[in-house]
Amino acid sequence: MKKLIFTFLFISIVALGQEFNLEIHKTSLFDYIKIEEKLGSIRLENESRYYSGEGIAQPIRFLRKEEGIPNCIVSYQFYEKDSALTQIEYEWDVYNFEKQDNNQKSEEFEKELISKYENLKKKFQKNSVNLQQKIITQI
């Protein structure tokens, strides 16, 4: 089975929910770290050096335990100067947790992963429409 990676990069999307707070320009890095602590996430050490641009600090990464699908790795990128967030990345990757090639998974597992993807897609589409409506009303 080919390696499954679902990565979402968020710059300025508005969303509601306990699992994903995507208002990154209205929420501080400290608040996101508190969210991760409340979720019981484990802070990960960076095993690599990340080069993202001038003034951008090394990301802070957390591992969130999941049921039925790979655990989620959340990476927070921010500016060194003021800790303002530039990006949040969510990654569900089988290979991050089972270091082998040809990692066969059951049909049930694949359905769970597809269901997670579809739920996220619906959430982002709904919030994208809400954001567009907000922008239109402000014009």
Side-chain angles (χ1 to χ4, degrees), residues 2-121:
K2 68 181 181 178
K3 187 170 146 179
L4 297 175
I5 298 177
F6 293 103
T7 303
F8 299 93
L9 302 177
F10 305 107
I11 305 270
S12 182
I13 300 173
V14 179
L16 302 172
Q18 179 183 7
E19 190 173 353
F20 299 99
N21 176 4
L22 306 177
E23 295 188 28
I24 68 172
H25 299 299
K26 295 181 181 178
T27 308
S28 72
L29 177 62
F30 179 73
D31 289 336
Y32 277 104
I33 292 172
K34 286 196 301 191
I35 290 169
E36 294 298 335
E37 289 171 353
K38 285 181 186 176
L39 292 172
S41 300
I42 300 165
R43 186 163 176 176
L44 300 174
E45 294 298 320
N46 289 328
E47 297 172 359
S48 303
R49 180 99 176 124
Y50 295 86
Y51 297 96
S52 300
E54 192 173 325
I56 304 217
Q58 292 299 295
I60 296 176
R61 302 171 67 230
F62 290 90
L63 176 73
R64 289 185 188 174
K65 298 289 185 179
E66 297 278 356
E67 295 289 328
I69 61 172
N71 294 328
C72 178
I73 295 177
V74 184
S75 299
Y76 296 98
Q77 286 193 349
F78 56 97
Y79 290 101
E80 289 177 315
K81 183 173 82 172
D82 59 4
S83 297
L85 286 164
T86 63
Q87 174 177 295
I88 301 174
E89 180 179 291
Y90 298 91
E91 179 182 353
W92 294 266
D93 182 357
V94 176
Y95 193 74
N96 284 331
F97 312 101
E98 298 176 18
K99 305 285 186 196
Q100 66 186 33
D101 291 331
N102 195 21
N103 199 346
Q104 298 288 324
K105 291 296 182 186
S106 68
E107 186 176 342
E108 179 181 318
F109 172 85
E110 289 184 11
K111 286 181 181 178
E112 292 252 0
L113 206 52
I114 291 168
S115 175
K116 180 73 169 186
Y117 170 78
E118 291 296 331
N119 288 336
L120 288 169
K121 185 173 137 183

